[in-house]
């Protein structure tokens, strides 16, 4: 188990389509996090920005871009990119600086201004890039992959489109209670079923949108927290940023084929399962200790898969957990009390940080009408393109 770091502040810019530069969203989130922490920007030793490839050169050096926008004050600066795991990589870098003694207090910021429609590879011809190849050779957009994964669950576990729809119903109900969510309206299973087919069996309301938004947290050493009046802060106890193990026999984006298991036996667990296990081992907790989880629901079917990957239930039992109401507010283990990506959409560099913002509010007891009663331990989980693991465990 590694040392803990304190979460002194959490802030967000609401998700939506606002038509502004990503810097505006990041700065708003940063200022909100600083206010929440009771600190001034000049108190910060280090700033770490999660990059956005859509922001031009400023997006590639997001740390310095946010530092300049907030006002140059000499802080150490870092920029990181790991696709959808960028926020977790940024949090991990901040934690490493704090635990190594390089910084006492670090501001972590991620923001994005996403395009309409599904994400696509960067422009140009790159026949050695599997992300480019899956679009050009197979026409396999992200929603196509989500649909294939849903079909796999239907074939292997007997899940139904009606089950997938209930995930959206659950998340929309919780997102309706979140002022930072883009979509704040409850939906019915009938509305999900009536929405347009995007990638069979998934419909429009089964798949998350692309969004603008920003999120930020202020992390510090425990000594700094106590000196500044934070006697019992939320603490980050683990950050998992693992990669898959060879052979990886379950297809993950952007790959278009799995590794052969002819010569080497496959690992005992899938990539996503290994992300969770690494976090649990580092934190010294297990799934039975969790109060809530925030997971990466790119599609309704993928949320069900996360239930199993996090060990909330056995293989193939995700639908039963959902049907029993265990993952809803008031259930045994609420999942995506924030509303998830179903209610927010993707703002890629910000979303793993936004998950930690939600854990922070829940563990403080400040989540309002979506509060999980007695929350003490929470996990966030997602993954980034090209094998970037991402999970954070926060405790109080």
């Amino acid at each position: 188990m590694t040392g803990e770091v304190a979460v002194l502040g959490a802030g967000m810019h609401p998700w939506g389509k606002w038509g502004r530069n990503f810097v505006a969203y990041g700065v708003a989130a940063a200022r909100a996090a600083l206010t929440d922490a009771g600190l001034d920007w000049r108190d910060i030793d280090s700033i770490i920005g999660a990059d956005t490839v859509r922001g031009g050169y400023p997006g590639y050096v997001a740390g310095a871009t946010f530092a300049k926008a907030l006002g140059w004050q000499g802080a150490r600066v870092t920029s990181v990119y790991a696709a959808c795991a960028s926020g977790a990589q940024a949090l991990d870098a901040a934690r490493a600086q704090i635990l190594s003694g390089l910084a006492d207090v670090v501001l972590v910021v991620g923001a994005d201004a996403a395009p309409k429609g599904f994400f696509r590879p960067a422009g140009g011809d790159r026949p050695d890039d599997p992300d480019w190849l899956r679009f050009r050779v197979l026409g396999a957009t992200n929603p196509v992959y989500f649909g294939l994964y849903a079909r796999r669950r239907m074939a292997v576990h007997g899940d139904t489109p009606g089950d997938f729809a209930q995930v959206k119903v659950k998340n929309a109900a919780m997102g309706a209670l979140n002022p930072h969510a883009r979509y704040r309206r409850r939906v019915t299973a009938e509305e999900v079923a009536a929405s347009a087919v995007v990638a069979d069996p998934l419909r429009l309301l089964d798949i998350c949108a692309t969004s603008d938004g920003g999120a930020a947290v202020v992390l510090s050493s425990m000594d700094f927290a106590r000196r500044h009046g934070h006697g019992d802060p939320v603490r980050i106890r683990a950050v998992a940023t693992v990669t898959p193990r060879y052979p990886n026999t379950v297809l993950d984006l952007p790959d278009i084929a799995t590794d052969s298991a002819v010569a080497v036996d496959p690992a005992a667990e899938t990539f996503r399962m290994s992300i969770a296990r690494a976090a649990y081992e580092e934190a010294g907790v297990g799934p039975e200790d969790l109060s809530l989880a925030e997971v990466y629901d790119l599609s309704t079917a993928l949320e069900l898969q996360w239930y199993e990957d996090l060990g909330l239930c056995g293989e193939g039992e995700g639908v039963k957990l959902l049907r029993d109401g265990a993952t809803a507010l008031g259930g045994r283990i609420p999942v995506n009390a924030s509303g998830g990506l179903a209610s927010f959409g993707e703002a890629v560099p910000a979303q793993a940080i936004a998950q930690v913002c939600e854990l922070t509010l829940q563990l403080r007891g400040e989540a309002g009408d979506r509060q999980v009663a007695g929350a003490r331990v929470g996990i966030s989980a997602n993954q980034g393109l090209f094998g970037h693991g991402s999970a954070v465990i926060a405790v109080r």
Side-chain angles (χ1 to χ4, degrees), residues 165-176:
Q166 288 301 326
V167 176
K168 173 66 174 183
V169 171
K170 170 186 72 73
N171 288 349
M174 293 191 280

Side-chain angles (χ1 to χ4, degrees), residues 248-296:
N248 189 13
T249 56
V250 178
L251 193 67
D252 274 314
L253 285 178
D255 299 325
I256 56 177
T258 55
D259 298 332
S260 171
V262 172
V264 180
D265 289 335
E269 58 191 6
T270 63
F271 174 40
R272 280 192 293 273
M273 292 172 67
S274 74
I275 299 170
R277 178 181 53 78
Y280 290 141
E281 289 180 355
E282 185 178 312
V285 302
E288 68 279 1
D289 299 306
L290 296 176
S291 306
L292 73 156
E294 286 288 310
V295 305
Y296 188 47

Side-chain angles (χ1 to χ4, degrees), residues 221-241:
S221 66
M222 295 304 297
D223 284 344
F224 182 97
R226 285 187 285 267
R227 291 197 310 270
H228 288 78
H230 297 268
D232 181 28
V234 172
R235 305 175 315 275
I236 289 180
R237 186 173 284 178
V239 183
T241 57

Side-chain angles (χ1 to χ4, degrees), residues 76-240:
R76 179 185 294 269
V77 65
T78 307
S79 298
V80 300
Y81 183 70
C84 293
S86 296
Q89 294 274 2
L91 289 161
D92 199 33
R95 183 180 65 147
Q97 289 185 5
I98 292 166
L99 294 179
S100 68
L102 288 175
D104 268 342
V105 58
V106 182
L107 174 63
V108 181
V109 190
D112 203 2
K116 292 182 178 180
F118 53 76
F119 292 121
R120 56 189 180 276
D125 291 343
R126 296 184 311 285
D128 57 350
D129 177 352
D131 198 37
W132 183 90
L133 283 171
R134 70 182 170 96
F135 277 76
R136 299 304 192 277
V137 175
L138 297 181
T141 64
N142 289 6
V144 166
Y145 172 79
F146 305 153
L148 289 171
Y149 217 101
R151 277 286 168 198
R152 182 180 188 275
R153 286 201 60 86
M154 293 172 70
V156 176
H157 301 308
D159 296 3
T160 70
D163 293 322
F164 303 150
Q166 288 301 326
V167 176
K168 173 66 174 183
V169 171
K170 170 186 72 73
N171 288 349
M174 293 191 280
L177 305 174
N178 192 333
H180 289 113
R182 176 179 178 181
Y183 302 106
R184 299 191 60 198
R185 185 180 71 84
R186 294 171 180 265
V187 301
T188 65
E190 291 74 21
E191 287 177 298
V192 177
S195 64
V197 173
V198 175
D200 186 68
L202 299 180
R203 296 176 175 272
L204 185 64
L205 294 184
D206 283 302
I207 297 173
C208 75
T210 59
S211 289
D212 298 355
V217 294
V218 176
L219 305 183
S220 81
S221 66
M222 295 304 297
D223 284 344
F224 182 97
R226 285 187 285 267
R227 291 197 310 270
H228 288 78
H230 297 268
D232 181 28
V234 172
R235 305 175 315 275
I236 289 180
R237 186 173 284 178
V239 183

Side-chain angles (χ1 to χ4, degrees), residues 314-326:
E315 184 178 358
E317 296 177 355
V319 163
K320 183 178 185 302
L321 204 65
L322 175 75
R323 291 174 179 170
D324 290 346

